[in-house]
Amino acid sequence: MLRAGHSDFAPHGRVARDGVLLGGGRPPPPGARPPTPRERVLTSRDAPRVGGFLPWVGAGVTLLRDPTSFFQRTRERVGDTFLVEGFGVRLFCVFSPEGVKNLWALPEAEASKGVADFGMLAHKVPAELFAGRRTYPHMLFAREDVEVYLENLSAAVELELAALGGRGELEAFAHCRRLAHRMGLASWGSRAATSPRHFERLVEAFDALDSSESFVHPPRAFLTWATGKRREKAALTTIEAIYAEILRELPPLAADGAPSEPGFFDRIRAAWADVSGEARIQGIARDVVLVHMGSQSNLFAAMAWTLVHLIERPALLEAVRQGDDALLERCAHESIRLRQRSIVLRRILRPCLLADEHASYRLEPGLSLATMMSVTNTTAAPGLDRFDPDHYRGPLFQRTKELEGRELVTTFGHGAHYCPAARFSISAIRIATRALLERFELEPRFRDPAPLRRQIGGVARADRPCRIGYRQRP
Ligand code: HEM
């Protein structure tokens, strides 16, 4: 069992071993009532500090090599709350039930996800993309008629499966990546975007722009930075040019608001109805890009793991093939839980307090606050390191009562930042997986894929190709 808290605090900050500086508050006067955690207010520097022996590099190199193991090992050594310093960043980390619960509860104005995300993505994504956006995923997915996307998803899957032919070999992640591009663009980028004239060029450009690179392959961020984001800026220009063509082809929006096609693209167009010319094209294209980039982080990888886990378990696969959609959705939720690599990152904007089981910490602006789902999702109760669809009924995790805190296990997040596209994503995975299983016999040509170790965000990519032989079913 992991130790929570700081029973091994050294009183006045000394370096213990492996670059860990043990901090801690003043010892209470003799005979005094021990303070409650809320009364025991410490600064972020009083938490055990994990640095390194090179001052600026700090613990950064070790962390980036394998973030999940780094956090796990550090927890085992110093407890569930600690401060990591590296590459000039100060990361206040919490992994205990109380600490994680309080992280999720902090308001955006004090601990901002938006600013933290921007800091992470700014290395990769051209800054102009973030300015002046009018449509965000929340606006698209919050509406009652959200099920309009199902029709688009099925049409997109049909197109992609037809391209597979009668037999061959596919790589699960590459296949799902194309499929997710097609399903996503069909839903919010217009049907025209998935036509052969535009689709291949859009896929190429979106892959070049892909913001998830910054947390899937963190070292590549340096390359992007060193080249002044040339490749990414060119990709954005290409996408804008393609949308100029698409918008020329489409009939204007109906005056009575009747949709020209199912999906979200008309809503994005409507948001720019008061603008004309280049600014309109650019505005619409960039809104589509921002929604699509949100999707690229997780959806295809979650789809691929669902497929991989089913192919590894023929009995489950057969039950799904016989029509058990509820089982298929449970497999999707379980795959996401098990393969989550998301760091939950917040940037402190205003001084605030964050309590764990032992003390309250004063967090100062500029500090980053984090926990990592891959650590808690798999260790919060025995057996959570294994795939078992019985862990879910619908989207509900079934073992919450066994957890010391319900926030320790998550798929789509908690509270105010809960993923707006959760239902959409599960539908997309269900439709894509079912179509593939019903159409083809599948044969695994991979063994024991595991998450890519360096990844520090999103659903895991695999550490090896997951090849699958397919043959059309009679
Ligand atoms: C299986 C697929 C997906 C998974 C596992 C997933 C997971 C998550 C998680 C864990 C969060 C919360 C992160 C945090 O609080 O730090 C989140 C937020 C978010 N997701 Fe997803 N996501 C998925 C698909 C998508 C798709 C398809 C889109 C866009 C089309 C999307 C857009 C967003 C946005 C915009 C937020 C931020 C919400 C906010 O800050 O209020 N996600 N997602």
Side-chain angles (χ1 to χ4, degrees), residues 68-136:
T68 302
S69 316
F70 170 85
F71 287 127
Q72 184 63 17
R73 282 199 320 268
T74 307
R75 264 182 104 184
E76 284 161 14
R77 279 205 335 251
V78 306
D80 283 341
T81 303
F82 49 87
L83 181 71
V84 178
E85 296 176 316
F87 298 138
V89 174
R90 300 176 65 242
L91 195 61
F92 192 83
C93 302
V94 288
F95 290 96
S96 73
E98 193 64 15
V100 172
K101 180 178 91 181
N102 291 331
L103 180 160
W104 283 104
L106 279 175
E108 176 72 12
E110 289 177 3
S112 170
K113 169 170 161 50
V115 176
D117 284 352
F118 180 77
M120 200 138 152
L121 303 184
H123 301 293
K124 170 74 184 165
V125 181
E128 55 269 34
L129 190 55
F130 295 104
R133 297 285 48 80
R134 291 189 174 185
T135 331
Y136 295 92

Side-chain angles (χ1 to χ4, degrees), residues 104 113 137-138 295 298 302 336 346 373 411-413 417 419-421 425:
W104 283 104
K113 169 170 161 50
H138 314 76
S295 165
N298 291 309
I336 296 168
R346 306 288 185 254
M373 295 180 191
T411 48
F412 288 99
H417 293 295
C419 179
S425 302

